[in-house]
Each structure stands twice: as structure tokens, then as C-alpha cells.
Amino acid sequence: MDGNSPPPSARGTPARRGRPPKNANRTPVRNPDPATPVTSPTDQDTSVVLSSMDIRVAGTTPIVSADGSNQNTSGATNSSSVASAPNSRRGSRKAKTDAIAAMQASSTGDESDDPQLMGALRNSMPIEVAPVLNLASVKTISPRELPPRSTPRPFGLEDCPAFYPTPEEFKDPMAYIRKISDKATEYGICKVVPPVGWKMPFVTDTESFRFKTRLQRLNSIEASSRAKVNFLEQLYRFHKQQGNPRVSVPTINHRPLDLWLLRKEVHKLGGYEAVTKMKKWSDLGALLGYRGIPGLSTQIRNSYTRVILPYEHYCERVRNSTTLSPSVQRDPSRAPGDLWLADFGKIGKSTSSPPSSPLTASSSSPLSEPPEDGRRGRRSARMSTDRMTTPVRQLSEGGTTLPSPAFPSPSFREAKREPPKDKQEQSCEICQKKNRGEEMLLCDGCDCGFHMFCLDPPLSSIPKGQWFCHTCLLETGGDFGFDEGEEHSLSTLQVRDAEFRRMWWSKHAPNASVKMDYEPNDPTVTRVGDTAVSEEEVEQEFWRLVQSPDETVEVEYGADVHSTTHGSAMPTMETHPLDPMAKDPWNLNNMPIVSDSLLRYIKSDISGMTVPWTYVGMVFSTFCWHNEDHYTYSINFMHWGETKTWYGIPGDDAEKFEAAIKSEAPDLFEAQPDLLFQLVTLMNPARLTEAGVRVYACNQRAGEFVITFPKAYHAGFNHGFNFNEAVNFALPDWLRLGRDCVERYREHRKLPVFSHDELLITITQQSQSIKTAIWLADSLREMVVRELGERARVRKLGMKEVLEEADKPEDQYQCAICKMFCYLSQVTCQCKKEVVCADHVDLLCEHNMSQLTLRLRFSDGELQDTLSKVVERSEVPGAWKKKLQKVLEESALPPLRSLRALLAEGERINYPLPELPTLRKCVQRANEWVDSANGFIIRKQSRKRSRKRGRPSHADIAANAAAAAAAAQDERDPGDRPDRTLSDLYALLREAENLGFDAPELGVLEALARQAEDISANAQVLCRQWQMHMTSGERDALIKDSERLLLDASSLNVYLDPVLEIEKVVSRERLLDELGKSDDDSKDLDEVRRLLTRARACDLAPDNKYVQRLEARHRAGADWEERARMMLEQPGKTIEELQELLGMTESVPTDPTIHDRLKSALAKAMDFDKQAKGWATADGMVSKPTPSQLSGFIARCEKDFHIPSVKNLSHIAQYGREVEDKCDAVLRNRYPHTEKDVFKEIEEWGRYARQHLSMLSLPFFQQLDKQLNLHYRWLEDLPWYCKDHPSGHGSEILDDVIEATRPEDDLPPTDEYFTCICQDPVRPPPPGGQSDAVQCDHCFARFHGKCAANGGSCPFCDHNHWNGKIHKERNWHFCFLPLILTRAPDLTHNYSDTWKQLEIIVHRVDRLSSVIGHFLTFASQAGNQKTSLLPQVRHYMRKLYKIQFAVSPSREISFGLDLAGLHRILAGLPTEKPHKKRRKPKLVFGPDADEDWYDGTRCVCRRNADPKFLYTKMDCDHCKRRYHAPCVRVTSTPLPDKWTCPLCCVRKNKSYPFAEVRVKRADDDRLTEMWVNMPKTYEMHGQELIVERMPLPRPDAIVLDLVSFTPWSPSDSRDRDRTSTTNGTFATHGFPTPVPTHSPPNQRPSSSHSHHQPPSPAPTPPRYWNGYLPNRVGPNPYQAMSSVPPPPPWNSSWHNLMATTGARPSGVPPEVSAPSMSATTSSSSYAGKKRKFIDEPGPERPESSGSTNGTAANNGREPSPKQQRRSVPHTPVPPPATVPNKVQTLSPSLAMIVSPVDTEPSPRPAPVPRPSSPPPPANTSYNPKYYRETSLRG
């Protein structure tokens, strides 16, 4: 897997892979201002050529450390070399480059390259990128077949194998990997190309996916290059510290001497003394590349003596010094892994890592670490629990490594030096004393103190400049790592990679002559701009840059991106459950947990190992040499992008590789023995092959897998922008190598990723198969033996033991010394939380061993039991093989029984046994032989069955004849005869000899063969005797001998021809005797056939008389049987045909079964005929069928029979069904209405049914007939019922009611001439004409002459018109009509036009009754009786006069009589003075102030419309003003008949239905902020203009400019005192605005029948019906505006409705009635307010006013009627066409009328009984007698 290297780490501590060390203060940051000059000549790295981070890309984010400093560094932009943090204990990393630069400059004087390119990049504008990656711009597929390679790979490497699995092989990844592992393991890596058609989707969200990169400096990665840099830095520091002001590199022949190579070669030759003694200095010149230079050996030796040798002497002195040596004398007998233990000491003294290097900061910015949300992998968790610096595990392409506490170099094996807290506490690191502080030197690298006299050699004075201690001076270079890059998206890194490649290849283009040879579609060639670059050229350029000391290139690599944080690029069941690829076994999310992977037994997810990591690369980005964590397998998949080159080394050559790279740079490994764990080191493959290491390579392209095998080292680099994903897995063959890796980790003190022992235990717990036990047994045995040995060693120390059976967190069983997981046992102490393993007991603490505790996870017995069970399971296949071998060796003919037992045992073993298929085949063949042998040995049971009744088929007859011809006819069934001969028996015996087994059936078969031979010989003798002439006695004796022979032969299961001949003879003799004694006429057809079969079987001659007689009877019976079968199969059988066939059975042999079927069919047909005739005669004893029952009866009969009596019933059934269907449709209200009367149709159906369908039971018709009778009885209850015409005559009544009850006509006309009782005005006659009008002397009302001739006096004043004394045609009372309406049956309700007329009459008259009741309630108060009410009274009386019948809620009340009394009272009052009308606020809008336009409009557009267009015009029904239809947002076609303009809607406080209307003040400049809130203005009674901030209006809203606002003026002084508004101004803001009031010039005259404004206030609810006020939803009845009547408010559930709506029963006082009563009472106190329009809500009631019963206006009860009126729309919504079947709210009048307690007797007999008691008198404030008595007094 693709891996990246860690950043520089602290001295002696493991580095984080690819991350800076912790607590680093990265002062080298990019210069934010490119124009700022660099202050120091060494601030720029002279070797840097190009850094990818110099390419500015929009969308990248610098990586900020925990302290807020920028972590982005580049060699091209390093700043100061001094750390800025005052408490930093480490020197700047730039010291290396400073040292090298100083030495190079002083020796050669060369200047650095011209940095114009980098400066131009830093000064350029950032490149803009798209937020989403375009996958079409990257390579997502690769060709399966590549052209053959024409040239060898660089370095002459061989390609690793590439495998192309078939779709069938590709189904199981683990099985396929095992299949190819034998070959691929020899290469270390291999490539797998999926089959055609397999494609893994890329599901990453490229817009939100962001990741961090690491900056890689290529020429610092190579081992020898970095070793050289470290050596030169140490050398430079040493000489600077020795007082040499200028340290320069010697030059020979004007070329700098390579000091590092010189020292390396000298050491190879044995050192300085050996080279001098052997005079090898001249040879060194040749090795260094110098030729023909005089005095070369002297120059080289002098340079070595002057520059290198003093440093070597210093190092030797430090090593040999007892005070300065950082490590103790090593014991040669001690193991390499224990070298560091000598100076580790006790944990209590020092448990931390060695001190940090002074050269590098120690901060770290973890790259792409998973969030702290509980989903962290186990590796991340170990970071937090380990006290050492434990970097997160690095998953790489092809490898995994978890940088952990590395094995420190010998110089780091001392306790960590803590920096001094202050100067007073500073102590000498050598003598550990704090005295003589004036002679204390502080190291500039680690800030540790040293007495000058304690040093070796001691110093006499303080050195000038920087001074470094021996540790910091000698151990430079152990801090190498990769710096942080930037945070990228996929798009930004793609752009940076493309720009980097374009710039690089434009200046470093390959050879032009070679470039022209590329094929246009060559997949190995990539075009970068105008340059074609092949994969080999990229590979060569990469290794050139890695090894170049002068060219430094920095690239970025997005490695180790956690999929737990950023999500896997492959679909998973959590993110894409419906994607089939989420379950694919090659999905890397599934690979670690498939059935054969051992990592599935790890109890938690490990990020990067069991959970994939992703990698985003750019050109030249690399992953260094490494192998995987725990030596596991890894698999890497490239989703898309450019090629990735891999290098692999087989696991067998891992030790050779390690030796080769250590010999290449021994100084690096001396400083960092765990360097290979850090993934920061490359080595040229050519140098490795020279060292004998096998190195192979491959190029991975999009859609391909690369698999690395256990322990295989691998490395590689990217050719460009690509995206990979990788994960680990393990197969059983890995266990041994995994244990070796754990031991290696222990030697280097590296933290493992998981516990190997815990994994083995988990496998034993979760898998008990034999297959698992076989490969687990050896590893488990090693673990148990090792663990028991360690326990025995610890127990000798005398410590106590404790067994803890629960698993603990990993940090509680991790050895604090070697960092290994001690899962099975740990040593603990009460004084510490740390634990140690058995090898480091003495390093835990200072306590005695008896005070320590050995903590066990499993007891010794449990471990041994587990091992024994696993070993026992693993030995099962071997034990079985031993048993098989023993059976085969004991006898040449093994017993079949033993072989069967072994086979059964092997089948139970759940493990593939190689010998089992062969054994199974042998036993199966032997079993087949035994079955054949048992066919001879075991006599089969007789197969005789009961005789089958019925005619056998032709095939059965032929089979029986064939069997009879081969066997004699006797009592034995021919089917029981043996079918194998004696030769078959001998063949079976010979076959047993060839199979080679022993069985008891062999002896039985041999005895059977001998017995069969004897019987065959005796049968041949008898056959010869039958051929001789004999007497009757001899014949009988011969028959007996033959029967004895047949009895003996019956015990044999062998077919013998002589025995068959004997059977035929005996059967023939017996048959002749039987035929001679029997009667043929008594035999049925089956017996005749059986006798014929026996005759043919025994070869009886056809001309035999018995045979001829049987043949004749058989032919007659067969003919009858054929006719009977055909009759039974045909559907239309008649009774006569059945009787005819049954009459033939006396003379013909028949089949009993068919005969019984014919008799049953005849009986069934007779039953059908009897039933049909019974129904047809209409016998009273027979129940009548329904049409459906009759149809089913006919269908069952006609299925089998043809009976005339049943056929005649089919038409009756059809007609009956039709009548029932019609009746059912009518009852369900589904019958379609036609022009024909439904009731007439029903009568016709009834007449037809009674006349023609009397035999049927018609339940639906009977129900409908009852409904019809109820309907006619209901019609008789109607008051206008006509006996001469049995129907209602309600059309004229309906017309009068509709005319008199129009809701819009509730107000009286304003024309003063409307004084007559009719609906026409009494106008003066024209000039010169005469009038027949008459005038009342009391009320002065004028009447038409014809209207006055009504039999009485003034209809308004004369109560005789209303008390019934004057006869009228309609002399009934309205209160009976609701009762008649509710008693209507369903048929009437659904289909009767009369009922619908009555419904409309009741509804409309009820509404009028409610309105008049409200009016009378109001007028009953003395203070409200004014002469201004006379027009309203007369208007109501005209309506009642038009209707004629009495209208009131009950018979005791007559609204007409009460209105007449009120009229007389009002007419007698003096005329009152007209009061000044109360005014609403006056609103003047912009169109009001405008003049008419040229087209006669005064529109809301205010002349802003385009005059070129011809707009459709509309007239308002109220103001008669004309508008443009588009301007007022009316776009429907045709235009509405009635329309109110937006201005009138605002004035009426109504909503405009066609668009939103906004009002703004004309002088307000805040166009879109402040608006006039008209609803709130009206709620304030128009006293103040409310301006508020509102949301923006809709685009199609209509905006009206308010030019002037005049508040309303009160009508009396009290109101004037409470009103403080100024007429003609905006009262809200006080801005005086003139109001130009003038009427529009085009104002049209109003209609002559305009309504007069009544002086009455908002009417109070009626109280003369026991105080009941309904809970209405919608407009009140006296406020209704709609002409469409609502659905009928009554139905059969009105009793429940009264209880639901809160109707108060009679006798209950109003104070305890429903909540609506409080609203009723409170409304009366507000009677002084009036409204200008009847459909407008009245002024809002003040909150302070209370109701008469003490209830507030809104205290949680129901709203008052006034509040209800304000909450409902002014225009009622028409009811739906179909009335739903639900409870409706009754009006007050109807509620009392239909109430049982108020029911009055009908003028006609009613179908329901009268109530038992009359209702109690109403306790109301309205008294109808008041008007009558007052009128009499008047």
C-alpha cells in the first residue's frame, strides 16, 4: 500500500509518518509579501529548483498547528534559522542547509541559481479551479492488453507477474489469492486486472472531500543523500564550535571534495591508520573520481587530516569518556533487542523517551487523523494511551507500518533531560550539581546545562557563537521527516499537479528524436502540453531527482487519508445500501472481513488496516521502502489517475535488503535503528540488485489491483495526479510471519497494532472448525508453551497471582518497557498503573517481588485445554487416514463393513480428505454389487394389488399379454417372477472377485447357484414327461410333481426357462377345469378380460370353444362400455339416454364402476327436474329462490344435463336479476336520474314483478316497495298536497319563497315610494293623470288600489291580515315543514323533487325567520323603538305577506302579527330628528386624485400603461370606476360577472381575490420597508393609521398610494372627547396632508333599488327559543350574503347533534347554559354601534368592556357572534354539490322546531306520534304579546 514518510521526530523518539514532530515551532514559513526582501543571504535554499507549493492555486488552505502557526514550509521559502519560540529546545532545521551552504560557498564561491522562476510563481495570481472534480479529465480505465515492451525497464528490472482472473475465479478473492500466491510470493508484489465488465464506482463527493498533504523533498529521501547531509552538518558544527570562523570544503582540481564519500571509503578500508599504513590514499582518489592529478594522495590525506580526522578524534573521546558517553559499555553476550535495557532503569525514574534533537522543532500537526467521536481506529487510540510519542499508523500502498516507539540509538539510552524551569534550578548534566552557575554553559540545541570544567576536554572560556553539547553535536539527523503541505480538494491538487508537470516537462523535455516514435494512442505515453512523456522517462527523471545533490524538487502527497473521517471511495452498506458493489468481495471495505481473512477476528476496527485509507498523489510523489504492519498482506486499488510505479522485494530477501540499506547509510541506522519503520528512506533499485537483492517492478493503472505479500518490502512513486485506496488482510499462512514481526517489534520497542496472542485466542473462540485447527495448532502451541514458560519463570520470584477473566483495554496490558501487548499475563504493582511483561519484571518498580502481582487472563489449565481441543481437532484427519491405512494393510480383501464405517466417519469430518473421494467411489460400487446380490438372495414381496375397476388402457392390455406369454397363468402374479437368469448370477460372482472386498453375500450366492442348477435339471425331466401320452391318473400325478417343483422354484429368485414351461402347462390345465365348471353369463366385464388374459398366457388355442365364447361376450361388453364412457363425458345428457343405457346391462357384461356412475347421473338429473317443476308450479311448500340462487341452480344443471323444465327457468332468473340490480341501485342512491320519473319506473317494476316473477324472492324489490309506500304517505303530509293529483304542488310556493327570502334583499329599499305591501313602488301619477293609490290614516302608507282590495284595511296596521281571520290559500304554519322534511324516507330524500323544493323552502324561510327574530329582539327594547325602523318593519312584512303562510319558530308566535303591532307602535311615535351619520375613515388613493385617462379609465397604473396596447377594461360594481384588467391582475377568460376593485376592497377591509394589495403612504420614500397595515387600522376603528415594517410583497402585488387619510369622527360628544385625531391629516405620524376630495367625473348613478342604511346596530342573537345560540361556522344567518342555500342541516342524528352543539334543555336558566349564552348577553350591551354596510364587521369591541354575566370578551370560552363574524370571510363559500353524510349544525329556528319538546301537531296525520307533553314556556326577553297589547292601546 502507498505510504508516506513521517516528519522529523524528537531525538531518540519515533517519528510521525509524514508529519512534523510534536510541539514544533516552524519559523520557516512562506513570506506573505513577495516584495519584502530577504534579509539573509542564506535564507534561500540554494539547491531548490522548484516546489509545488510555489504554484498558487485558489482553494488551498495552509495547515495551522495547535499554536496557530503556519505549518507550510518549503525549501524555497525558509526564513530565519533561529527558532522563534523562546522555550523551544530544538534548533531550526535550516541549520543543515545553512551548514552546507556555508561550506559550499566558502569552497567554491558559486552563487545559487537565479530564483526568478520561483519568484514569478509566488507573485502570480492564484489559479482558479472548479469546486467539483471533473472525472472526465482523469483516466478511469486502462487497456487490458499493452503493446510488448521494446526496451528493458530502467535498472534492468523484471516486471512482477500480472494476473487476469476469469469472472468465475474473481468471485472469491481469498481463494484466488491463495491460488496465485505460490507464484506471486517469489516476487513480493503482483498485479491483478479485474475481468471485463467489473467496475468499482467512485462515490466520493469531490466537492466536500478535502485532505492534507505532505511536502516531500526528493533528494533528501535517498539514504546516502540524507546521510551525507547529516554528516556535513555535524562536521560544520564541530568546526564552528572549535573556533574556526570559516569552514570550507577542500577542493581538488577546482572541484569540491566529497567529504562524506571520502570518510565512507576510508572506513571501508579500515580507517585512517590502516589507509596510511597501506598507502591507499591514491586508490581513494580513483574511487572519488580523480585521475591524473599530481600530489593527489597528499591532498586527499591532508584534507582528511585537517577536516575529518579532528572530528573523528572528538567522537572517539566522547565515546570513551565515562562522563560524556550517552550509553554504557555494551555486553557482547546481551541480545541485540536488550541493548537498550541497560540504561532504561526503573520506570519510576524514567519512563519517557530520550531527549529530542536540537535541530528540529517537535510539534506535529496530525494529517487526516480521524475525529475524536468514538470511531477512531485502535492505532489512534494507542496514540493517546502511550506515553511515548506514538505516531498514527501509516497505511501505504502495498504496505502498512505504524511508527511507534522506535528502538533508540545507543546515544539516546538515557533518561530524558527536562528543560530547566528557571536559572536557579539549572543543573549540570554531568555532575548533576547546581552550583557555580557563572561557569554553566547552556546548549543551543537542547538548553541543557554543563559546567565548563566538567567537559572533556574542559573549556577555559565561554565559546563565541553557538555551542552544542556532545549529544546534539553527534546525533544530528535522527529527526528527518516530511513537512506539512496544504489542505486541498481534489480539484486544487489536480490543477497544481497539471501546472507543475507543464512547467517541469517544458524545461526538462525528453529527447526530441525519441518523442516522435510514440504511437498516438500509446497508453504508456502521456502528453503534457506539447511534450510527450513516456512512463520510462518519468521513472528515469524521478530517480535522477532523488539522487541529484544540486536539484531539489518538492512535491506534495495526500497520503493516509482516513476513510473513517472522509469516507471510502468505494460504496459501503452504510452509505450506499442499494448499490450491489457495496457487497462485492473485492470491495476494500469487505476485504479484511471476508470469511478467510484472519483480520476479521480483531475485535475493533483498525483505521488503515481493517478500514481502508485513501491516497491522492501528484507527479514524483513517493512512498519509501517499507513492509506492512505485522507482515500482513495488503491490497491497493487505483480508482483513477496517472500511473503508479511499484517496486517489490520478496519476503525471503527482506534480510538482504535491510543489510544492503544499512551498509549504504550506516550513520542513519546508528542514529535511528528503526529507520525502516519511518517510511522516509529510498534506495536506488540498481544498488539493491548489486547487493544481491531481488527487485521487481510494475506499473499500476486505473482500475487495477496491486497485492503485496507478507514481509515483502515495497516502494514506489506516482507519475501524476491519481487516487488510490488500500487496506490489509491476512491469510492463514501469515501466522508464522506475524509472530516473527511481533518479536521484531519487541526488539525495536515498536508499538504493535494489535495483540497477536489475543488474535489467536479469539480465533479459537469464534471458529471451531477442523480447517481452522489445522493451521492454528502450531501457532497456538508455540503461544501456550511460551506463555507457560514465562509464567514459570515469574512464579519462581514468589509473587502472588490473580485471575481476571474479563478483557481489559489494550493500554492496561501493554508492557511499559518493550511496548508489547501482554494479553495472557502481566505483572503489576499497586504503586503504578503501568504493567510489564515477564521479561521486564525487575524494571517495574523498587518494591520487593513479593509485593508484585502476576495478573492472568486465563489459567494454565484453560490454556492447555484450549490447546488440547485445537490439537485434537487438527489431528482428526490424520487419525482417520491411519485407520484407513490399517484396514487396507490387514487384508487383501478388506471387509465391506469396515470400509462403510470409514466412509461414514470421513463424511462427518468437515475437512477435505484426499482419500475420501476414492473410498466413496469404492464403497458406492460395492454397495451397488450388494444390492444386485440381494436381488437374488432376498425374495421380493408379492406385488398383487386389488383388482382395478374400470377399463384398462391399451398399454396395460399389451403389457399384461406380454407378461402372460412369458409366464404360466396360476395364482402367482407374473410381475413377481424373477427377471435375472442363472448366467447373471455367475456374472455377479465374477464381478465380486474383481472389486476386491469381502462380504457375507458371496457365500449365499454360491449356494443359490448350486440349488438353481438342481431345480433346472428336474424341470427339464418333467417337460419331457408332459410331452408323452399318459392316462388320467398319470396326468394327475404329473400335475402334483410339477406343482412341487414350482413350489421349490418359487423360493429361488432366478429365472429358469424349464420352470417357466412347467408353469404354463399347469396353468392351462387349471384354466380348462375352471371354464368347464363356471357360468359365463354371470361374469362381469373384468372377469371376462382376466380369463382371456390367462388363456392367452397359457397358449390356449383360439379355436377352443371356451375362448370363442369369452371373445364374443368381451366384444359386446366393450361396445357398451365405450357408449357409456362417451355419454358420461358429454355435458348435455338427457334423462332418456341414461335410462336407455342402463336397460342394456341385463344381457351384456358391464364394468361395475361405469354402471354405478350411470345410475348416479340419472338420479342427479331426476332431482334437477323435480326441483325445477316444484318452483314452476309455485308450490307453497317450496321456499322461493332468489334470482342468484336460481341462476346457480340452472348453471349447475346445464353443466351436465339438458332438462327442458330447467331451461324454461333461465329467462325468469335473468329478469329477476335485472329487477334486483335496479332496485339495489335505487336503494344505494346509484340509479342514474333520467327524464322519466323514478317513482313511475319503480311502480312499473312492481307490476311486472308481481305478474311475472312471483316464483322468485326479491329482497331488494321488497325493500324498495316499502320505501315507495312511505314516500306516498310522506307526500300526503305536505300542506299543499292535492288529493286529485297525488303529488306536491310546491313550485309556486318555492318561487314566492325564493323571491321573498333573498339574502341580499334583507335591507329595505331606499326609494321613499316603496310603501305598498307589494314589491312595487307607489309613484305619483304623471302630470294630468289619476292615481288609484290609497293611504292608511294611521301609518300614512300608500297602497296600490288593487293591493288595498284585500278584504281588510292597511296590511301593516290591521292585525286581521296576520291572525288568520282573513282567509288565505296558504293557511298553514311554517313550524310543521321542518318536521315533514326530517320524516322523509331515504327514497324521497334521494329522488324526490318535491323534497328538494321543501328543503329549499325550509332553509330559506328559516334564515328569514332568524333575521326577523333578531330584529324583533332588538326592537322589543323600549330604547330602540324609533320611527327610523318603519322601513325595515314594512320590508319584513312585505316578505311575510308574499309568503302567505305563518312564519315563526312555534305556533304560539306569529312574526307577522308581532311586526304589525310593532308597526303600529312605531307609526304612532313622533318623528325623530336625523342624527349625523357616523363616518368611517376616509381614504384617498392616488387613482382617486387622478383624472380620467383618454380611454375613460382611472386605473391603479395611474397612466403608466403603454397607450399602444388595447387593454381589456372592467367596471367595479361598487364605485362604477373603470380599470385595465391586466393592471388589476384579472387574466381569466371570460371576465367575471361581478367584480370589486382593489380600492373598494381596501375601503371595505376585504381581501382582493386576484392579487395581493399593499398600501403605502405617498410621502414615504421607504418603498420596500414600511407599509400601511389596513386590517389593524380598521381594528383601531379608523382612529389611527398603522404603518409597520412588512416583508417584501409578491412580484404581482398591487401597490396603492395613500394620498390622504381622514380618521372617523364620533357621533356624540363622548366619542369626540375620546377621539384625538385631526381631520384631513395622517393621525399616526402627524404629517398634515391636504385631501383633494372631489367625486369622480365618470361616477355612474346608482340603481333605483338601492338599499337604505338602517339605524339598527349589529343585531343581538335571538333569545325567544330558550336562549339557544348555535355554534356556527361561517356567516351568521342575519349576515348571510350568498344566494346559494347551504346543505340541509337536519338528518336522523339530530338528537346527538343538539347535545354536541351545546343546546340548553328547556327549563335551564340562561346563566348556566352553553358558553354561547355569554356571548349572546354581552352582545346586547354593544347595540349602540352601527355599520355602513351590512356585510362589514362592526367596530371592534373594547377589551375593557365586560359581559352582563361577568365573563370577559375572551376568557377561554367561545367567541361572541361579533367575534365570529370577524373571523369568517365576508363572502360565504358555496357548499359542495354532493352533501357529505355528516352532522350539520341547525339554525336556531329549526333547532327548536325539530326538538321533541317543541313539536307541534301537523295539520295532517303524521307518521310519527305526538309528544307526550307540551314544551314548557320560553323564558326569553322577547314577548310577542307586548306588540299586540301595545298595538291595541295605540
Side-chain angles (χ1 to χ4, degrees), residues 836-1020:
V836 294
C837 62
D839 294 335
H840 306 127
V841 176
D842 54 341
L843 299 178
L844 178 60
C845 64
E846 301 291 344
H847 288 125
N848 192 294
M849 292 297 174
S850 60
Q851 298 179 353
L852 303 184
T853 301
L854 177 61
R855 189 171 63 193
L856 306 179
R857 175 62 181 86
F858 300 97
S859 64
D860 296 357
E862 290 176 333
L863 290 179
Q864 293 173 350
D865 290 345
T866 302
L867 177 61
S868 62
K869 292 179 181 178
V870 173
V871 172
E872 181 181 356
R873 283 196 298 269
S874 66
E875 293 176 349
V876 168
W880 182 86
K881 293 179 182 179
K882 292 180 180 178
K883 292 180 182 178
L884 177 62
Q885 189 67 24
K886 180 180 180 182
V887 169
L888 296 179
E889 291 176 353
E890 287 178 351
S891 173
L893 296 176
L896 180 59
R897 182 176 181 180
S898 300
L899 296 179
R900 287 174 176 171
L902 284 173
L903 177 62
E905 183 181 353
E907 296 284 358
R908 291 191 297 269
I909 298 176
N910 188 16
Y911 184 76
L913 301 172
E915 301 82 2
L916 189 61
T918 304
L919 178 62
R920 183 184 297 110
K921 184 178 180 180
C922 178
V923 172
Q924 288 177 353
R925 186 67 187 88
N927 290 336
E928 293 174 0
W929 185 92
V930 171
D931 292 340
S932 300
N934 289 332
F936 287 100
I937 298 172
I938 301 174
R939 180 66 181 173
K940 296 181 181 179
Q941 295 181 357
S942 176
R943 290 179 292 177
K944 290 184 179 181
R945 298 291 184 266
S946 60
R947 294 179 179 179
K948 296 183 180 180
R949 311 192 71 175
R951 180 181 179 182
S953 63
H954 297 287
D956 296 337
I957 296 175
N960 293 335
Q969 181 64 31
D970 61 355
E971 295 301 327
R972 294 179 59 193
D973 189 350
D976 292 334
R977 301 187 186 281
D979 53 358
R980 288 182 290 184
T981 63
L982 189 59
S983 59
D984 296 332
L985 178 59
Y986 286 119
L988 194 61
L989 290 172
R990 290 192 297 270
E991 183 181 1
E993 296 177 359
N994 298 328
L995 289 177
F997 66 89
D998 187 16
E1001 289 80 4
L1002 288 171
V1004 177
L1005 285 183
E1006 291 175 353
L1008 183 62
R1010 292 191 295 270
Q1011 185 179 1
E1013 289 286 355
D1014 296 340
I1015 293 177
S1016 178
N1018 294 334
Q1020 291 177 4

Side-chain angles (χ1 to χ4, degrees), residues 613-633:
W613 276 0
T614 54
Y615 303 86
V616 189
M618 68 173 292
V619 65
F620 299 144
S621 58
T622 180
F623 53 100
C624 301
W625 288 111
H626 68 285
N627 50 22
E628 298 302 313
D629 278 349
H630 291 259
Y631 292 161
T632 56
Y633 289 81

Side-chain angles (χ1 to χ4, degrees), residues 86 246 757 875 1273 1366 1618:
R246 289 182 58 83
D757 294 344
E875 293 176 349
R1273 294 180 61 187
I1366 298 178
R1618 290 180 298 175

Side-chain angles (χ1 to χ4, degrees), residues 460-479:
S460 57
S461 62
I462 298 176
K464 297 179 180 181
Q466 291 183 332
W467 179 84
F468 298 97
C469 65
H470 54 280
T471 302
C472 297
L473 186 64
L474 297 181
E475 297 181 359
T476 300
D479 57 351

Side-chain angles (χ1 to χ4, degrees), residues 474-500:
L474 297 181
E475 297 181 359
T476 300
D479 57 351
F480 179 77
F482 295 150
D483 292 330
E484 298 285 7
E486 292 181 332
E487 184 177 294
H488 282 270
S489 66
L490 292 176
S491 301
T492 57
L493 189 61
Q494 182 190 31
V495 171
R496 178 167 285 178
D497 170 77
E499 181 64 16
F500 183 91

